[in-house]
Amino acid sequence: MKQGYAALGRPIGRLRLAALLLVLVTGAPLPLGGDAVAQSSPTTLARIAILVSSDRNRCYDPGTVKSIRHFATTEVDAFNRSTPRGGRKLAVDILDDFEEADTTVVNVRQALAASDLVAMVGLPSSTRAAPVFASLGNELRASEVPFLSEISLNAMFAAFPNVYSMTSTVDDELQVVKRFIRDRGFQKPAFVGLAGDAYSMALGDGLMRAPDALALIADHRIAAPEYKLDAADGDRIAADLLTKAPDLLILAIQSGAGGALLKQLTAAGIDVPVFVLYGRLSRIIDRLGAGGFAKDAYEIARDGVPGLYNERLQRRIWDSGGQGWLFEDTPNRSTPGWSEGSCTVTASAGPSQILDARNRRAIARGMQYRDMIAMIGEAVAASPPEADAVAIRRLIASRLRKHLDGQDTFRGLWQDWAFTPHRTIADDTLVTWRRGGSDRLMLAPWQYRRTGQGLQPVSVLYTSLDLIRISRIDTGDDSFDAELYLSLHSEDASLGIADIEFTNALRSEAGHDTQLIIREIHGGSAGTSFPAGIKTYKIAGRFTFEPELDDYPFDLQRLSVSFQPASTLRPFLIQPPEEAPPHQLAPFDGWDLRDGYVGSDHDIVPTLAVAADGKQTVRFYKFNQTFVVARLGVDFTMRVIVPLAFILLVTYFSVYLGRERFDSMIAIQVTALLSAIALYLSLPDVGADQATLADRIFMVTYAGVALMIGLSVVGDSSKVLEHRRFTAAVRIAQYAGFPLLTIGAMLWLVAASLGRG
């Protein structure tokens, strides 16, 4: 009987073993001890509708829409992977209206009809938003669905408490524009807008709205079908402006018509500064052709500060190795327009680089949508398991209300998100400037920071940080020495080095003072060989950084000199030079300079609210000059790679001693293993808290030598020697498998590291 149970146990044990292997391979649940497996509850969904707008003619698939689709789905996938089994997952519906208002209404109606809808994001047009509110306003309000829109007319959604705007709105922009125009002394501005466009019309009407209204000497609203200017409209505007002689032209008719009008006005002899409120200044001036534009030109900095990179974006690109960040306008060949001739190839549809202006705009849009989904996902993850869609909508709405008026801030990957009491993004409206006759776009010297309902003037520091030398890069101590020149210029001549705090300067343990040596080279006075008004300093000291050592010794490191205003009483913004620091051909101290840029980010400073019964957060600008350096691997190659190669080579040659010299063969192989271990222990500590490329190279070496030892022992076994096939297999593994596997693994490790670099 016992033998029967034993015989029965053997196949049962094999079945258990097979089941265990199945679990290890597939991750399938394994019933143990005969207990029933609890069935997981069905997964519930929280649906987000994303409203986008591709081109009406459908000739191209826009890069911006591709970016939105990519980052939205990537964030949803990441959220769902982190959700435990049976938990609530996100689903996303991307609805494209192709710039058709009727389709926009249909898309919003379809979204609201979903019983599991918890939020909507998008709708990048106030003109198409108007019929949505007119047709579906009651349903939208009653649904309580949080709607994070791109609507620029805050008056349009003022009556809908569940609607927010994640973009700059007309009232916020015009508050800065009117203050800027008045402070710059313009007395006779003229406006040209686009009739029938809700955003353009609101801009023109808002300029004349009290209490800070501008006295426009001319107000023209024209029709520009397909964004093209009627020459008769241009002649009529030119004739009127020649008579009234404005000192500033405010344009809000988009880039194509705006460029054509400006060219026509310039030819008619109207040569005045221009402020672009709708369209892209660079595209407008490019349409003027040779000679450009002789007067100053301004626009709202919708693409951020020229030459100043979003630090979070840079880190994201860095971590990904630059893969998947290119979003081009690609021809949609299924559109009949390509065969009919109405679709044409445009220069902007060609390939681009990651940090090209057009691609950066696409990335910006996609990352903004990604942040909105992350904000919604945070609330969904906190919702009780029994909550239905209505309860989740209310939870999201309550969290959004905490972001009003600086009570709280959501830290996204693109930026920090908060909203004004009007449910519009609480962000500063910046003005860029193109000096007359210049091709460079930069921050205007006069900026304003929003403080409550008012504006605080903010100085602009034009900077140039030029590296002299970097040395003593210590990844174990997380610090490096830098010597550099810093040049500053500002309309506020009193601003200087004392107003700058270097936030990552290494501080002493005793007094917490920075170990920087700062020497003034030039104080900005005239009468010297230095340009007047430019203050120049020589700075030397030690700075901290966060090393990334996965690819050591073929690693790249980001070394930053980070700085911010020393006090909120004297805030400033940074305008870096037009070009990034030049590549340094000569290596210094074992490193080679590869790239450099100026980045920006925010510190979030929590403080007490005015009522002293709550908390409020304040955003504090900070900047960094970053240098990307590559470690020169010559020393590591000579001290480590070459010796390891000889160790592996000797290990390989030992197998040719033959079976009769088994003791000598094993001695050589064991000595090779011990030599590799001793070599590893002799390496300097680089301070890595994870396995580096060097560690992985040694692990492959250990595995290879250990495999060779094991094969030698197995090959000398009497049981193996009895079977000729087994003996042949061991020999093939030693003679061919060992070198192929070892060399292949080494090449794969190094190639993967160099590929990331």
Side-chain angles (χ1 to χ4, degrees):
M1 190 69 175
K2 290 182 180 180
Q3 291 179 350
Y5 280 115
L8 183 62
R10 282 192 294 271
I12 291 177
R14 292 167 184 167
L15 289 175
R16 286 181 178 270
L17 178 60
L20 179 60
L21 292 174
L22 179 64
V23 170
L24 294 176
V25 173
T26 66
L30 175 67
L32 297 175
D35 295 336
V37 181
Q39 296 296 323
S40 61
S41 59
T43 301
T44 55
L45 294 178
R47 190 171 304 277
I48 302 172
I50 296 183
L51 308 172
V52 299
S53 297
S54 296
D55 297 340
R56 179 181 303 155
N57 57 26
R58 307 195 186 195
C59 293
Y60 286 90
D61 294 323
T64 53
V65 175
K66 291 180 184 177
S67 175
I68 292 169
R69 187 182 301 273
H70 170 76
F71 288 117
T73 54
T74 300
E75 179 59 26
V76 167
D77 290 343
F79 178 92
N80 291 340
R81 284 195 301 271
S82 65
T83 301
R85 180 175 296 179
R88 183 177 284 107
K89 296 183 181 293
L90 290 180
V92 61
D93 294 333
I94 300 178
L95 307 173
D96 199 329
D97 62 15
F98 296 98
E99 297 184 331
E100 295 288 350
D102 292 341
T103 307
T104 308
V105 175
V106 171
N107 288 347
V108 174
R109 180 179 289 114
Q110 175 184 335
L112 292 174
S115 60
D116 54 1
L117 180 72
V118 298
M120 292 193 297
V121 182
L123 211 171
S125 169
S126 298
T127 301
R128 292 190 293 280
V132 170
F133 288 114
S135 302
L136 303 173
N138 293 333
E139 292 91 331
L140 183 61
R141 186 185 293 106
S143 70
E144 302 182 68
V145 173
F147 186 6
L148 295 159
S149 73
E150 283 194 86
I151 302 171
S152 299
L153 304 184
N154 43 299
M156 183 177 290
F157 59 83
F160 297 86
N162 53 328
V163 181
Y164 290 71
S165 178
M166 61 175 173
T167 189
S168 181
T169 58
V170 167
D171 288 352
D172 294 336
E173 291 175 353
L174 289 183
Q175 184 185 23
V176 172
V177 170
K178 289 188 280 188
R179 174 75 177 271
F180 182 91
I181 291 174
R182 186 174 291 105
D183 288 354
R184 303 288 68 79
F186 294 109
Q187 300 292 327
K188 301 169 62 180
F191 176 79
V192 180
L194 195 62
D197 185 276
Y199 178 57
S200 180
M201 297 289 285
L203 287 170
D205 296 342
L207 288 171
M208 298 181 291
R209 188 179 300 131
D212 55 351
L214 297 179
L216 298 177
I217 64 166
D219 181 7
H220 294 276
R221 315 288 175 99
I222 62 173
E226 300 297 327
Y227 314 128
K228 296 179 180 179
L229 177 72
D230 188 334
D233 285 334
D235 292 336
R236 177 172 53 83
I237 295 172
D240 183 57
L241 297 185
L242 280 172
T243 302
K244 296 178 178 176
D247 58 1
L248 176 70
L249 176 63
I250 304 174
L251 277 181
I253 57 173
Q254 297 187 334
S255 302
L261 176 62
L262 195 58
K263 186 173 184 178
Q264 201 166 344
L265 296 180
T266 303
I270 301 170
D271 196 17
V272 298
V274 62
F275 201 127
V276 175
L277 296 183
Y278 195 4
R280 302 283 177 182
L281 176 59
S282 58
R283 296 184 191 176
I284 289 175
I285 293 182
D286 287 345
R287 291 177 179 271
L288 300 182
F293 190 64
K295 293 292 184 179
D296 289 350
Y298 309 94
E299 74 171 338
I300 295 173
R302 304 188 191 280
D303 296 331
V305 179
L308 189 67
Y309 294 94
N310 183 307
E311 183 62 22
R312 297 179 204 179
L313 173 61
Q314 291 296 115
R315 287 187 174 274
R316 192 77 166 178
I317 295 173
W318 169 277
D319 293 338
S320 69
Q323 300 298 316
W325 288 88
L326 196 60
F327 303 99
E328 306 172 32
D329 293 354
T330 54
N332 179 14
R333 296 296 179 181
S334 62
T335 300
W338 287 105
S339 57
E340 297 170 358
S342 59
C343 292
T344 57
V345 176
T346 60
S348 61
S352 59
Q353 301 297 319
I354 291 177
L355 295 179
D356 283 353
R358 189 177 182 87
N359 197 61
R360 286 177 64 191
R361 284 196 292 271
I363 291 173
R365 292 285 299 284
M367 292 295 283
Q368 289 165 10
Y369 277 67
R370 177 266 164 207
D371 282 355
M372 296 299 100
I373 292 174
M375 190 187 307
I376 296 166
E378 190 179 78
V380 171
S383 63
E386 68 277 5
D388 60 7
V390 175
I392 297 175
R393 295 172 189 176
R394 291 171 179 169
L395 178 60
I396 297 171
S398 68
R399 293 202 168 209
L400 287 175
R401 286 193 291 271
K402 291 183 179 180
H403 298 309
L404 293 175
D405 204 18
Q407 298 176 49
D408 197 4
T409 301
F410 177 78
R411 301 218 71 173
L413 285 177
W414 175 250
Q415 67 179 61
D416 303 316
W417 295 91
F419 299 94
T420 69
H422 302 293
R423 304 188 305 280
T424 63
I425 184 174
D427 210 356
D428 295 321
T429 300
L430 305 179
V431 178
T432 51
W433 173 41
R434 194 164 185 163
R435 192 194 302 268
S438 171
D439 290 332
R440 185 189 176 191
L441 189 66
M442 57 184 173
L443 275 183
W446 318 275
Q447 301 294 332
Y448 304 93
R449 185 177 184 181
R450 192 165 284 108
T451 56
Q453 299 300 315
L455 297 175
Q456 175 190 11
V458 176
S459 299
V460 174
L461 269 181
Y462 299 92
T463 66
S464 176
L465 196 153
D466 299 293
L467 182 65
I468 302 173
R469 178 177 175 79
I470 286 180
S471 59
R472 295 176 58 204
I473 301 175
D474 189 343
T475 56
D477 192 36
D478 300 351
S479 61
F480 66 96
D481 283 346
E483 190 175 355
L484 47 92
Y485 288 112
L486 176 62
S487 298
L488 307 174
H489 171 67
S490 175
E491 291 294 311
D492 182 358
S494 64
L495 272 177
I497 196 70
D499 299 297
I500 296 176
E501 177 188 5
F502 292 92
T503 56
N504 70 324
L506 189 66
R507 299 178 182 274
S508 62
E509 296 183 2
H512 299 286
D513 297 324
T514 61
Q515 302 175 21
L516 296 181
I517 300 174
I518 301 176
R519 182 164 62 92
E520 183 177 280
I521 303 297
H522 179 58
S525 59
T528 68
S529 57
F530 284 85
I534 306 295
K535 298 179 181 180
T536 305
Y537 306 88
K538 187 175 183 181
I539 302 172
R542 196 152 184 82
F543 299 86
T544 61
F545 76 110
E546 298 177 2
E548 298 180 16
L549 295 167
D550 284 356
D551 296 327
Y552 170 81
F554 305 110
D555 51 321
L556 296 176
Q557 299 296 339
R558 296 152 50 96
L559 309 179
S560 295
V561 176
S562 180
F563 50 97
Q564 65 184 21
S567 171
T568 56
L569 295 176
R570 302 198 70 184
F572 58 77
L573 296 172
I574 290 292
Q575 173 61 68
E578 184 174 13
E579 297 179 355
H583 292 252
Q584 183 142 337
L585 300 179
F588 43 80
D589 202 18
W591 297 79
D592 187 24
L593 180 62
R594 292 289 180 84
D595 202 359
Y597 64 90
V598 181
S600 69
D601 204 345
H602 294 105
D603 276 338
I604 301 298
V605 183
T607 183
L608 288 174
V610 176
D613 59 355
K615 300 197 76 172
Q616 183 173 336
T617 60
V618 179
R619 290 187 294 177
F620 198 40
Y621 286 104
K622 66 177 181 180
F623 309 90
N624 57 274
Q625 179 88 47
T626 298
F627 305 98
V628 179
V629 296
R631 191 192 303 264
L632 298 180
V634 176
D635 182 61
F636 184 87
T637 301
M638 298 303 298
R639 292 178 55 241
V640 177
I641 300 296
V642 172
L644 280 182
F646 281 110
I647 288 173
L648 291 171
L649 196 62
V650 170
T651 302
Y652 177 66
F653 285 150
S654 68
V655 301
Y656 289 94
L657 287 174
R659 181 171 173 272
E660 65 279 3
R661 303 286 302 275
F662 175 76
D663 292 343
S664 299
M665 179 173 59
I666 288 294
I668 292 173
Q669 293 172 2
V670 171
T671 303
L673 180 61
L674 296 176
S675 299
I677 294 173
L679 181 61
Y680 178 73
L681 295 177
S682 68
L683 292 180
D685 182 15
V686 294
D689 55 1
Q690 71 278 338
T692 67
L693 173 64
D695 296 330
R696 294 190 289 272
I697 288 175
F698 273 96
M699 293 304 106
V700 170
T701 302
Y702 299 158
V705 178
L707 175 64
M708 187 66 84
I709 294 174
L711 290 172
S712 298
V713 172
V714 171
D716 193 60
S717 170
S718 58
K719 292 184 178 180
V720 172
L721 293 174
E722 293 175 358
H723 301 278
R724 185 172 300 176
R725 291 182 180 179
F726 288 167
T727 303
V730 170
R731 294 305 180 195
I732 292 173
Q734 287 182 316
Y735 294 150
F738 170 78
L740 291 177
L741 288 175
T742 304
I743 295 174
M746 291 291 186
L747 291 177
W748 181 81
L749 288 175
V750 175
S753 173
L754 296 178
R756 286 191 294 269

